[in-house]
PDB file of all heavy atoms in Angstrom:
ATOM      1  N   LEU A  12     -17.168  -4.207 -17.342  1.00 97.00           N
ATOM      2  CA  LEU A  12     -15.793  -4.733 -17.265  1.00 97.00           C
ATOM      3  C   LEU A  12     -15.781  -6.143 -16.708  1.00 97.00           C
ATOM      4  O   LEU A  12     -16.401  -6.378 -15.659  1.00 97.00           O
ATOM      5  CB  LEU A  12     -14.932  -3.837 -16.407  1.00 97.00           C
ATOM      6  CG  LEU A  12     -14.490  -2.541 -16.987  1.00 97.00           C
ATOM      7  CD1 LEU A  12     -13.831  -1.681 -15.884  1.00 97.00           C
ATOM      8  CD2 LEU A  12     -13.467  -2.778 -18.100  1.00 97.00           C
ATOM      9  N   LYS A  25      -1.935  -6.715 -10.621  1.00 98.00           N
ATOM     10  CA  LYS A  25      -1.786  -5.347 -11.111  1.00 98.00           C
ATOM     11  C   LYS A  25      -3.150  -4.796 -11.555  1.00 98.00           C
ATOM     12  O   LYS A  25      -3.432  -3.624 -11.287  1.00 98.00           O
ATOM     13  CB  LYS A  25      -0.813  -5.356 -12.337  1.00 98.00           C
ATOM     14  CG  LYS A  25       0.624  -5.668 -11.995  1.00 98.00           C
ATOM     15  CD  LYS A  25       1.459  -5.807 -13.320  1.00 98.00           C
ATOM     16  CE  LYS A  25       2.823  -6.363 -12.972  1.00 98.00           C
ATOM     17  NZ  LYS A  25       3.580  -6.678 -14.248  1.00 98.00           N
ATOM     18  N   PRO A  36     -16.060  -0.600 -10.710  1.00 96.00           N
ATOM     19  CA  PRO A  36     -16.630  -1.928 -10.487  1.00 96.00           C
ATOM     20  C   PRO A  36     -16.384  -2.817 -11.662  1.00 96.00           C
ATOM     21  O   PRO A  36     -16.345  -2.376 -12.786  1.00 96.00           O
ATOM     22  CB  PRO A  36     -18.145  -1.640 -10.276  1.00 96.00           C
ATOM     23  CG  PRO A  36     -18.360  -0.292 -10.897  1.00 96.00           C
ATOM     24  CD  PRO A  36     -17.054   0.438 -10.900  1.00 96.00           C
ATOM     25  N   ILE A  40     -13.917 -13.230 -13.015  1.00 98.00           N
ATOM     26  CA  ILE A  40     -14.097 -14.693 -13.294  1.00 98.00           C
ATOM     27  C   ILE A  40     -12.817 -15.367 -12.861  1.00 98.00           C
ATOM     28  O   ILE A  40     -11.704 -15.091 -13.356  1.00 98.00           O
ATOM     29  CB  ILE A  40     -14.337 -14.921 -14.800  1.00 98.00           C
ATOM     30  CG1 ILE A  40     -15.715 -14.267 -15.190  1.00 98.00           C
ATOM     31  CG2 ILE A  40     -14.393 -16.412 -15.086  1.00 98.00           C
ATOM     32  CD1 ILE A  40     -16.014 -14.326 -16.642  1.00 98.00           C
ATOM     33  N   PRO A  46      -4.060 -25.933 -10.153  1.00 92.00           N
ATOM     34  CA  PRO A  46      -3.256 -26.777 -11.069  1.00 92.00           C
ATOM     35  C   PRO A  46      -3.930 -27.009 -12.418  1.00 92.00           C
ATOM     36  O   PRO A  46      -3.380 -27.690 -13.305  1.00 92.00           O
ATOM     37  CB  PRO A  46      -3.158 -28.062 -10.312  1.00 92.00           C
ATOM     38  CG  PRO A  46      -4.435 -28.108  -9.510  1.00 92.00           C
ATOM     39  CD  PRO A  46      -4.802 -26.705  -9.155  1.00 92.00           C
ATOM     40  N   ARG A  51      -5.034 -22.273 -20.649  1.00 97.00           N
ATOM     41  CA  ARG A  51      -4.545 -22.864 -21.912  1.00 97.00           C
ATOM     42  C   ARG A  51      -5.585 -23.782 -22.544  1.00 97.00           C
ATOM     43  O   ARG A  51      -5.300 -24.518 -23.453  1.00 97.00           O
ATOM     44  CB  ARG A  51      -3.249 -23.660 -21.615  1.00 97.00           C
ATOM     45  CG  ARG A  51      -2.076 -22.760 -21.259  1.00 97.00           C
ATOM     46  CD  ARG A  51      -0.776 -23.527 -21.130  1.00 97.00           C
ATOM     47  NE  ARG A  51      -0.806 -24.502 -20.040  1.00 97.00           N
ATOM     48  CZ  ARG A  51      -0.461 -24.277 -18.790  1.00 97.00           C
ATOM     49  NH1 ARG A  51      -0.101 -23.006 -18.429  1.00 97.00           N
ATOM     50  NH2 ARG A  51      -0.576 -25.208 -17.889  1.00 97.00           N
ATOM     51  N   ASN A  59      -7.142 -15.500 -25.603  1.00 97.00           N
ATOM     52  CA  ASN A  59      -5.725 -15.148 -25.673  1.00 97.00           C
ATOM     53  C   ASN A  59      -4.901 -16.346 -26.133  1.00 97.00           C
ATOM     54  O   ASN A  59      -4.652 -17.274 -25.390  1.00 97.00           O
ATOM     55  CB  ASN A  59      -5.193 -14.716 -24.293  1.00 97.00           C
ATOM     56  CG  ASN A  59      -3.728 -14.310 -24.371  1.00 97.00           C
ATOM     57  OD1 ASN A  59      -3.134 -14.266 -25.463  1.00 97.00           O
ATOM     58  ND2 ASN A  59      -3.161 -13.951 -23.227  1.00 97.00           N
ATOM     59  N   ARG A  86      -6.343   5.335 -19.992  1.00 97.00           N
ATOM     60  CA  ARG A  86      -6.880   6.238 -21.012  1.00 97.00           C
ATOM     61  C   ARG A  86      -8.403   6.310 -20.942  1.00 97.00           C
ATOM     62  O   ARG A  86      -9.033   7.348 -21.140  1.00 97.00           O
ATOM     63  CB  ARG A  86      -6.450   5.779 -22.404  1.00 97.00           C
ATOM     64  CG  ARG A  86      -5.149   6.343 -22.866  1.00 97.00           C
ATOM     65  CD  ARG A  86      -5.217   7.863 -23.118  1.00 97.00           C
ATOM     66  NE  ARG A  86      -3.837   8.400 -23.367  1.00 97.00           N
ATOM     67  CZ  ARG A  86      -3.092   8.870 -22.383  1.00 97.00           C
ATOM     68  NH1 ARG A  86      -3.489   8.876 -21.132  1.00 97.00           N
ATOM     69  NH2 ARG A  86      -1.902   9.318 -22.690  1.00 97.00           N
ATOM     70  N   VAL A  93      -3.732  11.311 -15.205  1.00 96.00           N
ATOM     71  CA  VAL A  93      -2.703  11.307 -14.134  1.00 96.00           C
ATOM     72  C   VAL A  93      -1.949  10.003 -14.145  1.00 96.00           C
ATOM     73  O   VAL A  93      -0.717   9.997 -14.090  1.00 96.00           O
ATOM     74  CB  VAL A  93      -3.398  11.506 -12.747  1.00 96.00           C
ATOM     75  CG1 VAL A  93      -2.396  11.338 -11.661  1.00 96.00           C
ATOM     76  CG2 VAL A  93      -4.057  12.893 -12.685  1.00 96.00           C
ATOM     77  N   PRO A  96       0.405   9.869 -18.105  1.00 97.00           N
ATOM     78  CA  PRO A  96       0.471  11.265 -18.534  1.00 97.00           C
ATOM     79  C   PRO A  96       0.396  11.394 -20.042  1.00 97.00           C
ATOM     80  O   PRO A  96       0.864  10.533 -20.797  1.00 97.00           O
ATOM     81  CB  PRO A  96       1.863  11.725 -18.016  1.00 97.00           C
ATOM     82  CG  PRO A  96       2.238  10.696 -16.982  1.00 97.00           C
ATOM     83  CD  PRO A  96       1.576   9.434 -17.368  1.00 97.00           C
ATOM     84  N   ASP A 114      10.854  -7.002 -18.624  1.00 92.00           N
ATOM     85  CA  ASP A 114      12.254  -7.483 -18.694  1.00 92.00           C
ATOM     86  C   ASP A 114      13.129  -6.439 -18.085  1.00 92.00           C
ATOM     87  O   ASP A 114      13.183  -5.340 -18.667  1.00 92.00           O
ATOM     88  CB  ASP A 114      12.627  -7.754 -20.167  1.00 92.00           C
ATOM     89  CG  ASP A 114      14.008  -8.349 -20.297  1.00 92.00           C
ATOM     90  OD1 ASP A 114      14.566  -8.732 -19.254  1.00 92.00           O
ATOM     91  OD2 ASP A 114      14.554  -8.337 -21.424  1.00 92.00           O
ATOM     92  N   ALA A 141      16.322 -10.946 -11.263  1.00 96.00           N
ATOM     93  CA  ALA A 141      15.348 -10.155 -10.570  1.00 96.00           C
ATOM     94  C   ALA A 141      16.050  -9.218  -9.565  1.00 96.00           C
ATOM     95  O   ALA A 141      15.721  -8.017  -9.488  1.00 96.00           O
ATOM     96  CB  ALA A 141      14.388 -11.060  -9.784  1.00 96.00           C
ATOM     97  N   ARG A 142      17.054  -9.726  -8.846  1.00 97.00           N
ATOM     98  CA  ARG A 142      17.784  -8.849  -7.890  1.00 97.00           C
ATOM     99  C   ARG A 142      18.446  -7.684  -8.572  1.00 97.00           C
ATOM    100  O   ARG A 142      18.403  -6.541  -8.078  1.00 97.00           O
ATOM    101  CB  ARG A 142      18.768  -9.671  -7.094  1.00 97.00           C
ATOM    102  CG  ARG A 142      19.467  -8.867  -6.025  1.00 97.00           C
ATOM    103  CD  ARG A 142      20.407  -9.690  -5.141  1.00 97.00           C
ATOM    104  NE  ARG A 142      21.257  -8.872  -4.321  1.00 97.00           N
ATOM    105  CZ  ARG A 142      22.504  -9.141  -4.047  1.00 97.00           C
ATOM    106  NH1 ARG A 142      23.099 -10.254  -4.558  1.00 97.00           N
ATOM    107  NH2 ARG A 142      23.236  -8.355  -3.304  1.00 97.00           N
ATOM    108  N   GLY A 144      17.429  -6.285 -11.261  1.00 98.00           N
ATOM    109  CA  GLY A 144      16.357  -5.374 -11.563  1.00 98.00           C
ATOM    110  C   GLY A 144      16.004  -4.537 -10.391  1.00 98.00           C
ATOM    111  O   GLY A 144      15.811  -3.302 -10.532  1.00 98.00           O
ATOM    112  N   GLY A 200       5.780   1.789   0.879  1.00 96.00           N
ATOM    113  CA  GLY A 200       4.898   2.350   1.939  1.00 96.00           C
ATOM    114  C   GLY A 200       3.980   3.413   1.313  1.00 96.00           C
ATOM    115  O   GLY A 200       2.807   3.500   1.699  1.00 96.00           O
TER     116      GLY A 200
END
Side-chain angles (χ1 to χ4, degrees):
Chain A
L12 284 170
K25 292 173 189 172
I40 296 176
R51 292 186 297 272
N59 182 3
R86 271 292 171 269
V93 174
D114 183 12
R142 182 176 170 219

